[in-house]
């Protein structure tokens, strides 16, 4: 009898040990974490399709998995997968000397053939990539030898290296993941050359990235990164307090998972630190100048909205003074953007005057102005996962009532808002500039793209002149001429009030106090997780 009981106890102990082992293997799912080697970050959206040659995926996630030929830093363009490069005297030929002994996560070699196949795959989907001007300049990709590849352009294009450094589309995925030799219709895997590889993904729940043990830049100290999908706000805040997640950061749409007050509460506990980048982008409201059946088609209406936004109060009350007010599309630290432009400070009397001069009349103490029987109403779309956008929208809505404008609000997923921007199905929507590493080139190039800001700019009187100057500035080799053209471009959109700036946006990270090496790249879309380490 005693012998039988001992056997039962032994089996029970072994079962407990086995269950403990299973629990440890699913740490990210249960909330238990190895605090020295793992980060679990909260995100309001799934990583989605990680095909780096399309645009549905999470950019922070793609930034961990894929790499480009060069990297854009505050000190200029630096080597990444290309150790060096040469540019021909006529500016049309770029010769890249590739880093050796680099492989994709599936063991495939990274070489000139892989570069050629990837770039050509992007080029075979021209409509999708029309917003990036480099895609319209590439004539051919030529393999010189195993580690030397040549990129031939139709004409000089000074932003070429900057656009090659972007998070997508000119990054590299294993040719074995191509489908029928292409990526435009999907891929069968997500193997890049980056410091982390995607090892598990459960849609709308979590994704797990593990350190690339063969990474050419050295094995990351953080061995596992889990992206956990949680609703923004209280749910994410409670998850941080419970230790179910231990890292949050501003997502690639400019939204924070929790508000500033919640961040301060976490940092006051002594368990977390809050790190903010320098200003990287401009948060703004984008107006659809091409929508002729909406009042927003009128410049005077757009100007009136601009004058009606109390940026100082938004900065102090919504952002707790942590984001500075903005009066121009780009801040002065952006190249070519330090120019004198028309300013529109908060002034409700000026806003009313503009509307009255344009024929929008308030009759018999009516609440909403009318013109030829039509009411002065419009709709503003905001990211439903961004508490700050919702707060700003409600604040602006209440202010506009004072001047006789009815602004209806609609919160939607960021993907839905992006689709509205590309189709023109909007009056106003929240957005942000591409950011420090890419601007002014990327945001301005998007003015002409039907998948981006074409509907924003195409309804203005000077649209043709604007597009002509954009084409000229992208190929100009004369620095003084570029400065002049950029000044003209910025003046046109400023005067037409199609991009209504609100604040200079930062990237915010909330992380354990023991995590060292938290820093930012020049982009607003990626974080250098491979540089982080627990102390």
């Amino acid at each position: 009898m005693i012998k039988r009981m001992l056997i039962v106890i032994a089996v029970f102990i072994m079962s407990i040990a086995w269950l403990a082992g299973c629990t440890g293997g699913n740490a990210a799912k249960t909330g238990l974490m190895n605090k020295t080697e793992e980060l679990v970050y909260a995100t309001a959206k799934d990583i989605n399709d990680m095909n780096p040659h399309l645009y549905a995926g999470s950019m922070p996630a793609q930034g961990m998995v894929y790499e480009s030929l060069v990297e854009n830093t505050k000190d200029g363009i630096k080597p990444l997968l290309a150790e060096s490069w040469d540019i021909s005297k006529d500016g049309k030929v770029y010769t890249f000397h590739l880093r050796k002994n680099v492989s994709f996560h599936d063991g495939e070699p990274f070489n000139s053939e892989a570069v050629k196949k990837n770039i050509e795959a992007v080029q075979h989907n021209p409509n999708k990539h029309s917003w990036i001007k480099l895609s319209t300049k590439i004539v051919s990709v030529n393999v010189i030898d195993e580690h030397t590849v040549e990129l031939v352009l139709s004409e000089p294009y000074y932003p070429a290296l900057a656009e090659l450094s972007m998070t997508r589309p000119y990054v590299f995925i294993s040719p074995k993941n191509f489908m029928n030799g292409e990526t435009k219709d999907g891929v069968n895997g997500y193997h890049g050359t980056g410091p982390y590889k995607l090892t598990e993904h459960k849609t709308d729940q979590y994704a797990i990235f593990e350190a690339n043990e063969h990474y050419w830049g050295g094995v990351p100290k953080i061995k596992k990164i889990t992206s956990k999908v949680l609703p923004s706000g209280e749910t994410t805040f409670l998850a941080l307090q419970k230790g179910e997640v231990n890292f949050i950061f501003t997502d690639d749409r400019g939204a924070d998972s929790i508000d500033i007050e919640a961040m301060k509460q976490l940092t006051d506990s002594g368990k977390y630190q809050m790190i903010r980048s320098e200003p990287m982008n401009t948060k703004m409201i984008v107006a659809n100048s091409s929508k002729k059946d909406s009042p927003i088609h009128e410049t005077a209406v757009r100007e009136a909205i601009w004058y009606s936004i109390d940026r100082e109060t938004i900065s102090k009350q919504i952002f707790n003074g942590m984001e500075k007010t903005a009066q121009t599309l780009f801040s002065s630290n952006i190249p070519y953007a330090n120019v004198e432009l028309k300013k529109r400070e908060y002034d409700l009397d000026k806003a009313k005057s503009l509307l009255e001069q344009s024929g929008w009349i308030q009759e018999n103490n009516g609440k909403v102005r009318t013109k030829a029987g039509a009411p002065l109403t419009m709709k503003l779309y905001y990211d439903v996962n961004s508490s700050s956008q919702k707060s700003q929208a409600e604040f602006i809505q209440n202010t506009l009532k004072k001047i006789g404008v009815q602004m209806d609000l609609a919160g939607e997923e960021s993907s839905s808002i992006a689709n509205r921007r590309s189709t023109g199905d909007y009056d106003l929507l929240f957005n942000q500039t591409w950011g420090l590493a890419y601007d002014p080139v990327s945001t301005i190039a998007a003015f002409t793209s039907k998948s981006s800001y074409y509907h924003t700019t195409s309804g203005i009187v000077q649209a043709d002149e604007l597009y002509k100057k954009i084409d000229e500035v992208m190929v100009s080799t004369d620095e003084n001429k570029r400065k002049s053209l950029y000044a003209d471009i910025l003046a046109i959109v400023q005067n037409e009030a199609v991009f209504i700036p609100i604040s200079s946006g930062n990237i915010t990270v909330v992380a354990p106090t023991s995590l060292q090496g938290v820093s930012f790249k020049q982009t607003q879309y990626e974080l250098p997780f491979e540089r982080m380490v627990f102390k």
Side-chain angles (χ1 to χ4, degrees):
M1 182 72 179
I2 294 174
K3 184 177 180 180
R4 184 179 296 173
M5 289 181 65
L6 290 172
I7 291 173
V8 170
I9 292 170
V11 170
F12 176 74
I13 292 171
M14 290 174 66
S15 299
I16 293 296
W18 180 79
L19 287 171
C22 290
T23 302
N26 292 280
K29 304 170 203 177
T30 63
L32 302 174
M33 296 176 288
N34 182 334
K35 294 184 178 181
T36 62
E37 294 188 337
E38 181 178 4
L39 286 178
V40 180
Y41 71 80
T43 177
K45 62 181 183 180
D46 187 65
I47 63 169
N48 290 317
D49 179 12
M50 287 282 285
N51 182 347
H53 297 165
L54 297 178
Y55 297 97
S58 160
M59 295 178 80
Q62 288 177 329
M64 287 190 274
V65 174
Y66 306 109
E67 295 179 302
S68 50
L69 290 172
V70 294
E71 182 179 15
N72 201 331
T73 76
K74 66 179 181 179
D75 297 317
I77 301 295
K78 298 293 183 181
L80 199 60
L81 288 176
E83 289 186 315
S84 63
W85 56 91
D86 306 304
I87 306 173
S88 63
K89 289 183 178 179
D90 64 3
K92 295 181 182 181
V93 181
Y94 289 70
T95 303
F96 295 95
H97 307 284
L98 306 181
R99 195 177 296 278
K100 298 176 182 177
N101 301 316
V102 177
S103 60
F104 291 97
H105 299 155
D106 60 1
E108 278 291 288
F110 172 77
N111 53 29
S112 297
E113 284 291 347
V115 171
K116 177 180 174 66
K117 288 178 181 177
N118 272 265
I119 294 180
E120 288 182 344
V122 173
Q123 295 303 106
H124 292 167
N125 197 7
N127 292 335
K128 181 65 68 175
H129 307 299
S130 61
W131 67 272
I132 184 169
K133 293 298 181 182
L134 179 62
S135 69
T136 68
K137 311 294 182 186
I138 295 175
V139 174
S140 64
V141 187
N142 306 318
V143 171
I144 306 302
D145 59 38
E146 185 178 4
H147 295 102
T148 309
V149 64
E150 184 181 79
L151 188 64
V152 181
L153 309 183
S154 59
E155 57 187 336
Y157 183 60
Y158 91 89
L161 291 173
E163 294 189 355
L164 286 172
S165 74
M166 291 181 177
T167 311
R168 57 193 185 202
Y170 293 109
V171 293
F172 302 95
I173 184 171
S174 172
K176 279 191 173 181
N177 293 145
F178 285 32
M179 294 178 64
N180 300 316
E182 300 287 351
T183 57
K184 59 186 176 66
D185 297 318
V187 293
N188 61 26
Y190 307 112
H191 296 108
T193 62
Y196 291 91
K197 52 188 177 181
L198 177 64
T199 57
E200 188 177 349
H201 177 208
K202 193 161 185 178
T203 303
D204 291 329
Q205 292 189 39
Y206 64 86
I208 296 175
F209 302 85
E210 295 182 3
N212 176 6
E213 297 296 327
H214 304 288
Y215 183 51
W216 61 267
V219 183
K221 299 294 185 183
I222 303 297
K223 299 300 182 184
K224 184 178 180 181
I225 298 174
T226 300
S227 170
K228 192 169 185 177
V229 181
L230 294 172
S232 298
E234 187 69 17
T235 302
T236 293
F237 179 58
L238 290 174
L240 280 159
Q241 288 183 315
K242 293 176 182 178
E244 293 172 1
V245 299
N246 64 346
F247 193 95
I248 60 170
F249 59 96
T250 308
D251 71 13
D252 49 354
R253 297 293 181 186
D256 289 319
S257 297
I258 59 176
D259 60 29
I260 296 294
E261 285 299 324
M263 291 182 193
K264 286 187 173 181
Q265 188 173 335
L266 288 167
T267 56
D268 289 345
S269 73
K271 296 178 181 179
Y272 287 92
Q273 58 181 318
M274 179 168 61
I275 306 103
R276 291 178 68 85
S277 71
E278 64 177 308
M280 282 193 168
N281 58 53
T282 301
K283 293 180 179 177
M284 59 191 176
I285 292 175
V286 177
N288 187 351
S289 70
S290 68
K291 196 171 185 182
K292 295 184 178 180
D293 61 348
S294 168
I296 205 65
H297 176 66
E298 295 184 26
T299 304
V301 171
R302 299 193 296 269
E303 282 196 283
I305 293 171
W306 190 317
Y307 279 111
S308 301
I309 297 177
D310 184 354
R311 292 164 182 78
E312 290 291 344
T313 299
I314 289 174
S315 174
K316 292 175 182 177
Q317 295 188 2
I318 297 177
F319 293 115
N320 285 344
M322 298 182 74
E323 288 198 5
K324 295 181 179 179
T325 63
Q327 275 286 352
T328 54
L329 179 60
F330 302 117
S331 57
S332 59
N333 65 319
I334 298 294
Y336 305 105
N338 190 15
V339 296
E340 286 296 322
L341 297 170
K342 181 179 181 180
K343 298 292 192 298
R344 300 181 181 92
E345 301 291 347
Y346 177 55
D347 188 338
L348 291 184
D349 289 336
K350 178 66 174 178
K352 291 176 183 177
S353 175
L354 282 167
L355 293 175
E356 288 165 4
Q357 291 172 23
S358 189
W360 292 99
I361 307 300
Q362 264 184 317
E363 296 178 338
N364 302 321
N365 295 319
K367 293 183 179 180
V368 179
R369 293 177 183 270
T370 60
K371 183 177 182 179
L376 184 48
T377 64
M378 63 201 70
K379 184 175 285 188
L380 170 63
Y381 294 91
Y382 65 88
D383 187 338
V384 72
N385 292 308
S386 172
S387 60
S388 65
Q389 284 189 16
K390 184 175 187 294
S391 298
Q392 290 175 80
E394 291 170 346
F395 179 74
I396 294 169
Q397 179 189 50
N398 288 330
T399 305
L400 287 177
K401 287 180 182 178
K402 299 175 183 178
I403 64 168
V405 177
Q406 178 180 323
M407 178 180 282
D408 299 322
L409 307 181
E412 294 185 352
E413 294 291 333
S414 58
S415 57
S416 174
I417 293 175
N419 184 61
R420 288 187 181 279
R421 189 183 66 175
S422 63
T423 60
D425 184 19
Y426 68 96
D427 296 316
L428 299 159
L429 53 81
F430 278 98
N431 216 248
Q432 62 190 41
T433 57
W434 264 85
L436 187 60
Y438 303 136
D439 282 330
V441 176
S442 296
T443 298
I444 286 178
F447 292 178
T448 66
S449 172
K450 291 186 177 179
S451 64
S452 196
Y453 292 130
Y454 177 75
H455 297 286
T456 309
T457 60
S458 61
I460 65 175
V461 174
Q462 291 179 279
D464 289 342
E465 181 184 353
L466 175 68
Y467 299 154
K468 181 181 177 183
K469 289 180 181 292
I470 291 172
D471 287 340
E472 288 178 12
V473 78
M474 296 302 174
V475 300
S476 175
T477 57
D478 185 314
E479 178 68 7
N480 289 328
K481 184 178 181 181
R482 275 207 296 266
K483 288 180 180 178
S484 176
L485 286 166
Y486 273 124
D488 291 344
I489 290 166
L490 294 175
I492 290 172
V493 295
Q494 184 85 355
N495 293 340
E496 287 288 348
V498 285
F499 299 100
I500 303 172
I502 298 177
S503 65
S504 296
N506 307 72
I507 308 304
T508 304
V509 167
V510 175
T513 53
S514 58
L515 187 66
Q516 305 294 307
V518 179
S519 61
F520 304 93
K521 294 190 177 183
Q522 283 292 93
T523 78
Q524 60 192 41
Y525 309 111
E526 307 163 61
L527 285 175
F529 290 104
E530 67 277 10
R531 301 176 195 167
M532 300 180 194
V533 61
F534 281 102
K535 295 291 187 182

